[in-house]
Amino acid sequence: MKKNRTEVEEYIKEILVELFEIDKEELKPEAKLYEDLDIDSIDAVEMLIEIKKTIKEDINPEQFSDAKTLQDIVDIVIQL
């Protein structure tokens, strides 16, 4: 999945809206996953599974262990 930053961000937002019914207006780059978006560790695993299905890259959950914001997730996916 070689996409630009905007495409990756939109893709991640779609996953969050679909899986967790988060209002797209809340999905700002600085939104904190746990505090602002109420994503817990189980939700994070579900999100990683969805990302892995699309990018078809092997994802080590530890790559995402330091992710705190939506922007962190976008940055990590771009680096994969």
Side-chain angles (χ1 to χ4, degrees), residues 11-76:
Y11 165 70
I12 301 297
K13 286 179 179 180
E14 287 175 24
I15 288 175
L16 294 170
V17 168
E18 233 177 82
L19 287 179
F20 311 118
E21 299 177 1
I22 297 172
D23 184 0
K24 200 165 186 176
E25 297 299 315
E26 294 179 45
L27 298 174
K28 302 194 180 337
E30 66 277 4
K32 293 184 175 135
L33 300 173
Y34 298 105
E35 293 90 352
D36 299 333
L37 303 178
D38 201 27
I39 292 175
D40 62 24
S41 58
I42 294 171
D43 294 336
V45 170
E46 286 181 55
M47 180 177 62
L48 290 179
I49 291 168
E50 284 302 311
I51 292 170
K52 184 175 180 175
K53 285 180 188 177
T54 301
I55 65 171
K56 297 181 178 36
E57 296 277 338
D58 196 29
I59 295 176
N60 180 346
E62 289 185 15
Q63 292 172 287
F64 290 84
S65 64
D66 292 332
K68 305 271 188 269
T69 66
L70 177 59
Q71 187 62 54
D72 293 342
I73 298 294
V74 171
D75 292 342
I76 294 166

